[in-house]
Amino acid sequence: MTVGTITVIDQTLREGMQYRGLMFSREERLKILEFQEALGVDISQVGYPSAHVTEIETARFLDETAEKRGYRIRTAVLGRALKRDIDQMAMTGVRDLHFHIAQEGSDPRNRERFEKVFGTLKQSIVHARKKRPSACIGVSILDIGRTDMAFLTACAELLIHDLRIDMLTLPDTSGILSPGQLDTKVRKIVAMAEESGTRIGVHCHNDMGMATANTVTGVSAGAGVIEVTALGIGERNGIGDLFLVGKCLADQGYALNLRTDDADLFRRYYEYVDGRCYEKTGVRLMEDRTPFFGRSVRTHVAGTHGRKDYGIATEAEYCLNVLCGKSLVEKFLASRHIPYDPGALSEIVAKIKTLSAESGRSVSAEQVAGIVHSMQ
């Protein structure tokens, strides 16, 4: 199966609302959809219709608005692979229907369980296609970290070769897999989908802090679809980060429609989501240690880091303490436009180190300027 352009599904409007009770209004959801369209997101998962009648209405509104505005982005809804959910999902008018089935812990030797699960799946997919003949159908098997591999492959065989669904997502819902473990599982299912029309996707949770890395690993293992959110928000500790995953993949040469080169637009999107989160939960998502967008990513302290450019930041800041070196101090003085005698650089560095050691703090720009001035 040729991967081609990686399909990016932004689930901020659905998975994102599972973050610490975060809730978006209809107007806020529309604003987020506008950001997603501008950034080149392929599919926006806009709601969970079986949760409440307002989810049906909002999903329909977002889908109709996107169509009226001529958006390229497609809208999708999520539900259980049950007739009731399918009927409610069809009421939204949304083209992409995503289903999830929970099979963790299933014993592949239990034939009765096998037949029941497979029978329900077949009935559900057939019903969905009758309700929406032109729908793109995706199924997530929850979850690959806790599902027996024999059962997982049996489900995949049914969905890929018998039911011929459009997308099969492999979610590490528990967030327990390492990149190596996820790689092994994804490669096996990707191999099963060779020569089929089914694309394999990944959806990785961040309980162990590896969601973004695992999502990138899933693509390197052959997956052609990623499910991510703005700032990685989602259930518990969230899922893979939209920008970080996209940037990693783009830098590695993968083709995406996502505009990872527009960091300013991404920042505005992230700041908008961060603002809504803070307003409604009192929690900030963007902080000093936020990858790429946080202040810490461009701040250097150790002397080694003054020798050349490190990290991904286009701008640098410096905090000088006992660990600084000549190269770092030299860059700091240049950035602050502090004139100095190059022949005295070693002595300046020594004084900065001593002052930092004696005070137990980093040395401020004013203190550095004072040191340089005292030596002239």
Side-chain angles (χ1 to χ4, degrees), residues 51-201:
H52 195 259
V53 65
T54 55
E55 284 291 289
I56 298 174
E57 295 167 351
T58 299
R60 183 187 300 121
F61 165 75
L62 292 173
D63 180 67
E64 291 175 350
T65 301
E67 184 175 357
K68 288 177 182 176
R69 294 182 178 182
Y71 281 1
R72 184 195 61 82
I73 194 171
R74 287 155 44 193
T75 55
V77 287
L78 179 70
R80 296 163 297 184
L82 301 174
K83 184 177 182 297
R84 171 180 175 272
D85 282 32
I86 292 168
D87 290 342
Q88 292 169 319
M89 294 164 75
M91 291 170 62
T92 66
V94 171
R95 174 188 170 192
D96 289 48
L97 306 180
H98 297 168
F99 303 104
H100 61 89
I101 56 174
Q103 305 304 332
E104 61 268 23
S106 296
D107 186 346
R109 296 167 297 183
N110 187 335
R111 192 67 194 174
E112 183 180 347
R113 171 67 172 163
F114 250 52
E115 292 175 355
K116 181 178 180 180
V117 170
F118 288 2
T120 299
L121 269 177
K122 287 182 179 179
Q123 293 173 10
S124 298
I125 299 303
V126 168
H127 182 66
R129 285 184 170 139
K130 284 182 178 179
K131 296 289 291 189
R132 296 296 308 277
S134 63
C136 289
I137 294 178
V139 176
S140 297
I141 303 176
L142 278 60
D143 80 75
I144 64 170
R146 297 188 186 279
T147 298
D148 181 274
M149 198 64 202
F151 193 91
L152 180 63
T153 53
C155 282
E157 177 70 25
L158 171 75
L159 292 164
I160 295 169
H161 296 123
D162 187 355
L163 298 176
R164 300 182 181 277
I165 62 171
D166 300 287
M167 179 179 69
L168 173 59
T169 299
L170 306 174
D172 176 24
T173 316
S174 304
I176 60 174
L177 295 179
S178 69
Q181 293 171 317
L182 184 128
D183 178 272
T184 299
K185 290 176 179 286
V186 172
R187 284 187 187 277
K188 186 173 182 64
I189 304 302
V190 166
M192 294 176 61
E194 290 283 352
E195 307 303 326
S196 79
T198 301
R199 300 193 78 193
I200 305 302

Side-chain angles (χ1 to χ4, degrees), residues 219-234:
V219 173
S220 69
V225 182
I226 57 172
E227 297 182 352
V228 285
T229 59
L231 288 161
I233 58 175

Side-chain angles (χ1 to χ4, degrees), residues 148-300:
D148 181 274
M149 198 64 202
F151 193 91
L152 180 63
T153 53
C155 282
E157 177 70 25
L158 171 75
L159 292 164
I160 295 169
H161 296 123
D162 187 355
L163 298 176
R164 300 182 181 277
I165 62 171
D166 300 287
M167 179 179 69
L168 173 59
T169 299
L170 306 174
D172 176 24
T173 316
S174 304
I176 60 174
L177 295 179
S178 69
Q181 293 171 317
L182 184 128
D183 178 272
T184 299
K185 290 176 179 286
V186 172
R187 284 187 187 277
K188 186 173 182 64
I189 304 302
V190 166
M192 294 176 61
E194 290 283 352
E195 307 303 326
S196 79
T198 301
R199 300 193 78 193
I200 305 302
V202 287
H203 174 108
C204 304
H205 278 258
N206 202 43
D207 298 69
M208 297 295 288
M210 290 183 285
T212 291
N214 275 345
T215 306
V216 174
T217 297
V219 173
S220 69
V225 182
I226 57 172
E227 297 182 352
V228 285
T229 59
L231 288 161
I233 58 175
E235 186 78 15
R236 304 187 311 280
N237 207 39
I239 64 174
D241 181 279
L242 170 67
F243 175 78
L244 296 177
V245 171
K247 180 169 176 55
C248 284
L249 293 176
D251 288 349
Q252 291 177 23
Y254 289 95
L256 304 97
N257 293 316
L258 193 67
R259 296 177 57 189
T260 56
D261 59 330
D262 198 339
D264 289 338
L265 181 56
F266 257 105
R267 181 182 293 277
R268 292 199 295 274
Y269 179 26
Y270 277 26
E271 287 177 344
Y272 180 80
V273 173
D274 178 58
R276 304 292 72 73
C277 183
Y278 182 69
E279 172 188 325
K280 298 180 181 189
T281 70
V283 176
R284 282 285 184 197
L285 298 170
M286 295 186 72
E287 54 184 20
D288 279 354
R289 293 183 65 250
T290 299
F292 192 87
F293 295 106
R295 186 175 180 180
S296 294
V297 76
R298 61 177 183 266
T299 304
H300 299 298

